[in-house]
Structures are given as C-alpha cells and as structure tokens.
Amino acid sequence: MEKKTVRSVERALDILLCFTTQHELSLTEISHQVGLNKSTVYRLLASLEKKGFVAKNEATEKYRLGFRVWELSAHLERVDDPAVMLLPEMERLRDILDETVTLYVRDGKERVRVQAVESKQTIRRVAPIGVRMPLNVGASGKILVAYAEPEVQEMILNDPDWPEHIDKEAFMLQLLKIRQLGYATSVEEREAGTSAIAAPIFNRQGKCVAALAVSGPTGRLTLEKMEEIAPTVMDFASRMSKMVG
C-alpha cells in the first residue's frame, strides 16, 4: 500500500533536488524544473532559506544549497561527502604537524567549520564542528574571501556590519598578497593566544570551495613556523582539490 505524503514537503524536497546537477538556480529555473508557479516556489524557497537549507546570492538573484545541509551531512558516513572524504588526509596532516586541522566553507558573510581533527598535544586548539565565524578575520576567512568571485568580495566589503577597526584597503592588500603566496596566516586575529595558516581547496572548475587550516597556540605556531610549514599545508590542499574535483 502506498504511504500518504505531505504535498508541501514533497515540493520542498523537489526544490532541493534541483541542485543535484547545478550549483545555482534562479527562481524561474527552479519553477520550470519542479513544474510549479513562481509564487508557490518563492514561498517554499523562503521557508527553506529561513531554515538554512538554501541561500540566496543577492548579487545574481540565484539560489544555492545552504550549509544546514553540511550540518546534517556531518552525521552521515558517506565516502562522497567532502567533510568525510577529506578526513583521512586531514588526519595525516595532523599527524605530520601535530596541530589541529580544520576545514571551513563560506556561507554568505560567514564561514562554517565543517570538519576538524584536533591535535594530540596537551595544549591544543579545540575546534567544534558547526561553529560559524566572520570572514574578515582569521586565516581561513581571508582565504575564502581572497579566492571568492568579485561580486562576493564586494558584498562582504560593503557589509554594513563590517568592523570599524579593520581597514578595508589594508584588508584588500592582504587578499592580494594571499593570492600571490597561495596561503594566509593569522596571529591572534579572532582568538587570543591562537595562530593559524590556511590554504584554498578548489573544485574541478577552479572555484575555491573550502579552506584547509592548521591552528595552534601562538607559542608553537609562530609566523616563522607557519612560513616553514606553508608548503606542506598547500601540498595537502592541492591533493584535496584533486579529490574534490
């Protein structure tokens, strides 16, 4: 006997399934794919956006999957989930450097920690999964901005909540240097006593989809030490890019 289903739930799920083949879709495109009128699709998208399952790119007026999907996938044991797929490489990097290794993705004007492997040292960086942080401070945040599309950078820089103590011109110069070096560093930018180095992870289309970061106490992870380990971090990020691609 066929089970009864809730029509509105089915429609919302059909909208989410539209993103299995495309990264971003307009309201019109989604409406066409699911066979519903725009007003109905708009209301469903508003509900999904409120719950974090989709996000709207204000620059392009298109929708994409939100990172509540990442939060759910953290509980799935699937080899094709990037947070799970990259875990062995993250563990290898942790064992080599003996510092905490984390993976971040951008969600609008924030970054979300979607995976973490903590150092085995007594004094270490504790990194709970699912935490949201700003993009204008921290090595991984700067990576996600440095390699973002121009319209995304503009949105972030023009954010009315941009901290007054962070000079935008200096920040842009930092982004330029990051692209030249291929990695970013931070010392006590977001949290006292903590340093971090991060490198970009790209997909097959060359888009930065995540930031691989190594963090630890400033006493161990000095600027000199981060410069020393930068080639290793970038090498692992490059290998992860091939895996994601």
Side-chain angles (χ1 to χ4, degrees), residues 35-236:
L36 297 171
N37 61 61
K38 289 184 181 180
S39 59
T40 299
V41 172
Y42 182 81
R43 290 195 299 271
L44 290 168
L45 283 168
S47 296
L48 290 168
E49 186 177 11
K50 183 178 180 180
K51 291 293 184 179
F53 286 98
V54 298
K56 187 177 182 181
N57 185 332
E58 298 297 337
T60 63
E61 294 291 313
K62 289 190 175 185
Y63 294 86
R64 58 176 172 77
L65 287 177
F67 285 99
R68 186 56 61 93
V69 175
W70 281 89
E71 294 173 10
L72 287 177
S73 68
H75 300 283
L76 290 176
E77 290 298 327
R78 292 184 51 186
V79 295
D80 55 347
D81 179 351
V84 175
M85 177 174 55
L86 300 178
L87 185 57
E89 287 295 299
M90 293 175 67
E91 291 174 337
R92 284 188 59 220
L93 182 58
R94 184 271 313 275
D95 292 341
I96 291 172
L97 300 179
D98 204 12
E99 297 292 358
T100 296
V101 178
T102 50
L103 191 69
Y104 290 90
V105 296
R106 184 183 67 82
D107 183 18
K109 297 181 289 185
E110 297 178 305
R111 55 187 165 115
V112 183
R113 186 184 295 130
V114 295
Q115 189 58 281
V117 181
E118 292 184 7
S119 168
K120 296 178 181 178
Q121 299 204 53
T122 304
I123 300 175
R124 63 183 183 273
R125 175 80 171 84
V126 178
I129 296 173
V131 172
R132 290 175 173 269
M133 286 168 277
L135 289 165
N136 44 46
V137 291
S140 59
K142 290 185 288 187
I143 282 289
L144 293 171
V145 180
Y147 290 94
E149 298 88 342
E151 61 269 20
V152 173
Q153 291 182 348
E154 185 177 349
M155 174 193 71
I156 294 167
L157 288 166
N158 292 329
D159 182 6
D161 295 324
W162 180 274
E164 292 183 1
H165 68 277
I166 299 178
D167 183 84
K168 290 185 180 181
E169 290 188 9
F171 185 79
M172 288 299 292
L173 288 175
Q174 282 190 63
L175 300 186
L176 178 61
K177 184 177 180 181
I178 288 166
R179 290 193 294 269
Q180 292 172 342
L181 294 174
Y183 68 92
T185 60
S186 63
V187 178
E188 297 187 318
E189 286 189 9
R190 193 188 66 82
E191 186 177 344
T194 300
S195 297
I197 178 172
I201 295 175
F202 301 99
N203 63 12
R204 188 176 301 172
Q205 290 73 40
K207 180 179 179 180
C208 178
V209 294
L212 174 67
V214 175
S215 59
T218 54
R220 288 199 308 261
L221 215 53
T222 61
L223 279 173
E224 292 77 12
K225 180 64 177 180
M226 288 190 284
E227 289 177 6
E228 179 186 325
I229 67 174
T232 301
V233 177
M234 288 190 291
D235 180 59
F236 271 78

